[in-house]
Amino acid sequence: MLTSAGCAASPTDSDAERLKAGLARVETQCGAKPGTLKLDSDNLVAVMPTPDAKYETIDCVFRELKKPEFADHIKLGFVGNEAYAAEEQK
């Protein structure tokens, strides 16, 4: 799992709706499955691609998330990599 979060200063409901619409647009534009980008209660973005997601798709998602409209909602971090380490040991 990959999470991406940031510090946003108390956005309004309309900001949240605009952000959700922007994330849905990114999913469509990049060919990511719906639900790949999730907005949490603090208006922080989580990126949770499916295990079979193509590199090019996720690369496109991150390129789009670098744009100014998402800048206050993004802080990159990786979560869940331990699952892949267990697979390598098999």
Side-chain angles (χ1 to χ4, degrees):
M1 178 187 345
L2 176 69
T3 59
S4 183
C7 299
S10 302
T12 65
D13 288 340
S14 63
D15 289 338
E17 291 305 314
R18 188 173 62 247
L19 186 56
K20 283 181 186 178
L23 295 175
R25 177 187 49 77
V26 169
E27 288 176 337
T28 301
Q29 177 180 334
C30 294
K33 291 185 180 179
T36 297
L37 299 174
K38 296 182 180 171
L39 193 61
D40 74 8
S41 60
D42 292 327
N43 280 0
L44 305 176
V45 178
V47 181
M48 299 178 7
T50 59
D52 63 341
K54 294 182 180 180
Y55 172 84
E56 293 80 8
T57 299
I58 303 309
D59 184 49
C60 176
V61 166
F62 281 110
R63 263 195 324 272
E64 292 300 312
L65 292 178
K66 286 182 183 180
K67 293 186 175 177
E69 69 183 289
F70 302 112
D72 292 337
H73 305 280
I74 304 298
K75 181 178 178 185
L76 186 59
F78 292 90
V79 179
N81 290 340
E82 61 277 0
Y84 296 105
E87 286 180 12
E88 289 177 4
Q89 293 176 2
K90 290 181 183 178

